[in-house]
């Protein structure tokens, strides 16, 4: 029997019921659509499965109202009650699952709390950035002092290299004065002497230039095109005398003198000088003394290597030598920061500095990639 | 009768070209026979092959330093005086040079007139 009978088919009751059911059903169908759209927009929504349960529950509620309308004219009560049973099942499930969710939902941060937390994090980030700048400034200072210390090790040799030609210039100038005082001035001889003095002062100027460009703070310099031959020449000018003094044979392998790379020449020179200083100290007391500098050119990188005739570095120390303040030199002789700073400078060029463990001698390799345009200037 | 510098041979040893040249010039002008070398090893060979009357040598030189030369000359030719030209940045100082038998040490940069005067006096030649 259609449900309309219960309303005695009185239109005012029947239609009020039908229209009410239709509006309720429409509203119930609309709500899950809105929920779905909301959930889709808000990707990180917590407990999203609960939204699906709600949607299912409301959809079924709406469906029961549709069948309420149908049963006014058609007695499909079985379908109606089955829909109601399904609604009951899903509603009880939703209710049961909702209970344990409440404490979790309560623990979700409110926008105000999140705002406060964000501000705190921003403060922490600012503080950390400030510390990073401070650490970086200190690193630059340490790099500079390591460079000055490396230069200090060279100072005696450099002073000798300036003093020796200076003694020659002094003698020749005094001879020139005597020649000028003679009745017949030997112009040819004077010209030759003046040439010798000029040539020798050029050499002194070159040494001073090398020291000046090495000692100045180059950390802010932009990367430029550096000619490998010039770089090696200037570096050897600084330490060559120290090698000669101790009778250490310093050999430079043949390489293409047009070879160049993009980088900070002073920093690369600092790395090489540090390696050469270490090699010098390692072999100075050995009966056989030699150090070899090699340049290898590959399509990807330029490799500089410094090999000394020592027996290499024992395996347990290989990692430690690149750590700051680790030194195998006597107390007071090594600062222990040379290699760690050199490694940092190599990394500034996007390169590496490592000890070749396969070599029977102590063999350090500085590898600089061909393209360092993006590397940080440090 | 004063001695003639021509009868004396001075050996000048320095790897610094301008110093070697200046000393050779001075001693030749004064009338000495002059030999020159750029390291201790070459210098010792010259001392062994020639009659050398005085050696004037630098200390720090590649390929045989002045100290080894000093010691060899002292043991092989004890009567040949050796004058050392010291740069002042070596491991050895003036006292060590004198202890090893150097007759006199001149520090670079030296006064060439004083050096000449000393050499002449050492060889008994009037300045």
């Amino acid at each position: 029997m259609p449900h309309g009978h219960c309303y005695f088919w009185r239109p005012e009751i029947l239609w009020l019921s039908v229209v009410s059911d239709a509006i309720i059903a429409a509203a119930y169908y609309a709500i899950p659509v809105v929920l779905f759209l909301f959930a889709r927009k808000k990707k990180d929504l917590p407990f999203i499965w609960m939204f699906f349960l709600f949607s299912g529950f409301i959809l079924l509620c709406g469906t029961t109202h549709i069948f309420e309308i149908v049963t006014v004219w058609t007695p499909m009560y079985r379908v109606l009650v089955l829909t109601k049973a399904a609604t009951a099942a899903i509603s009880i499930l939703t209710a049961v699952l909702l209970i344990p969710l409440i404490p979790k939902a309560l623990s979700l941060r409110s926008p105000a709390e999140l705002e406060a937390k964000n501000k705190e994090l921003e403060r922490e980030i600012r503080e950390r950035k400030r510390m990073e700048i401070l650490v970086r400034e200190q690193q630059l200072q340490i790099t500079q002092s390591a460079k000055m210390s490396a230069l200090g090790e060279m100072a005696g040799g450099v002073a000798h290299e300036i003093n020796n030609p200076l003694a020659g210039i002094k003698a020749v100038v005094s001879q020139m004065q005597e020649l000028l005082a003679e009745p017949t001035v030997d112009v040819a001889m004077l010209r030759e002497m003046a040439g010798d003095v000029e040539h020798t002062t050029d050499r002194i100027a070159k040494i001073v230039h090398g020291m000046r460009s090495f000692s100045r703070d180059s950390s802010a310099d932009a990367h430029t095109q550096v000619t490998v031959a010039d770089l090696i020449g200037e570096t050897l000018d600084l330490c060559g005398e120290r090698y000669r003094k101790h009778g250490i044979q310093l050999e430079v392998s043949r390489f293409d003198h047009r070879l160049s790379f993009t980088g900070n020449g002073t920093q690369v020179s600092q790395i090489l000088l540090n390696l050469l200083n270490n090699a010098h100290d390692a072999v100075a007391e050995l009966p056989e003394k030699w150090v070899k500098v090699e340049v290898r050119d590959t399509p990807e990188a330029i490799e500089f290597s410094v090999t000394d005739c020592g027996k290499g570095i024992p395996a347990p120390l290989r990692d430690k030598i690149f750590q700051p303040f680790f030194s195998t030199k006597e107390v007071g002789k090594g600062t222990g920061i040379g290699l760690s700073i050199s490694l940092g400078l190599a990394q500034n060029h996007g390169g590496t500095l490592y000890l070749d463990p396969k070599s029977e001698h102590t063999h350090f390799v500085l590898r600089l990639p061909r393209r360092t345009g993006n590397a940080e200037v440090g | 009768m004063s001695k003639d510098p021509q009868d004396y041979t001075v050996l000048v040893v320095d790897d610094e070209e301008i110093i070697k040249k200046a000393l050779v010039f001075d001693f030749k002008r004064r009338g000495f026979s002059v030999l020159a070398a750029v390291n201790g090893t070459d210098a010792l060979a010259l001392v062994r092959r020639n009659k050398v009357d005085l050696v004037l040598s630098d200390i720090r030189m590649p390929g045989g330093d002045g100290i080894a030369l000093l010691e060899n000359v002292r043991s092989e030719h004890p009567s040949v005086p050796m004058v050392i030209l010291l740069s002042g940045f070596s491991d050895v100082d003036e006292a060590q040079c004198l202890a090893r038998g150097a007759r006199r040490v001149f520090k670079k940069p030296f006064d060439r007139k004083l050096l000449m005067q000393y050499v002449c006096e050492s060889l008994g030649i009037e300045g």
Side-chain angles (χ1 to χ4, degrees), chain A residues 235-362:
Chain A
T235 310
L236 295 190
D237 276 347
L238 288 173
C239 66
E241 180 53 34
R242 195 158 173 251
Y243 271 75
R244 280 193 288 280
K245 174 179 166 188
H246 290 110
I248 301 166
Q249 193 196 329
L250 181 57
E251 189 190 317
V252 182
S253 71
R254 281 171 180 275
F255 61 91
D256 184 352
H257 276 227
R258 291 161 301 176
L259 201 61
S260 67
F261 65 95
T262 308
N264 182 326
T266 309
Q267 291 187 345
V268 177
S269 175
Q270 184 176 357
I271 301 171
L272 290 178
L273 190 64
N274 181 245
L275 294 178
L276 285 164
N277 262 345
N278 287 349
H280 169 279
D281 294 349
V283 305
E285 305 297 327
L286 299 181
E288 181 201 24
K289 307 169 199 181
W290 57 258
V291 172
K292 209 157 54 182
V293 178
E294 283 162 298
V295 181
R296 277 189 61 235
D297 174 29
T298 70
E300 302 83 36
I302 292 184
E303 283 183 1
F304 298 86
S305 73
V306 175
T307 311
D308 67 54
C309 61
K311 286 211 168 52
I313 287 167
L317 302 183
R318 277 177 206 155
D319 288 332
K320 285 191 188 158
I321 54 170
F322 287 102
Q323 290 169 8
F325 307 113
F326 178 83
S327 179
T328 57
K329 296 181 188 176
E330 282 173 49
V331 174
K333 283 210 167 167
T335 54
I337 53 174
L339 276 178
S340 72
I341 281 170
S342 295
L343 177 63
L345 294 176
Q347 286 165 348
N348 275 353
H349 283 77
T352 50
L353 174 65
Y354 61 92
L355 175 76
D356 178 7
K358 287 183 289 237
S359 171
E360 58 173 319
H361 297 292
T362 316

Side-chain angles (χ1 to χ4, degrees), chain A residues 42 82 125 190 206 254 272 314:
Chain A
K42 216 165 159 76
L82 280 175
I125 289 168
L190 280 172
K206 207 170 141 232
R254 281 171 180 275
L272 290 178

Side-chain angles (χ1 to χ4, degrees), chain B residues 23-39:
Chain B
L23 291 173
V24 169
F25 181 82
D26 269 346
F27 283 102
K28 275 195 172 158
R29 250 168 82 88
R30 186 70 183 79
F32 285 95
S33 295
V34 186
L35 291 171
V38 290
N39 61 55

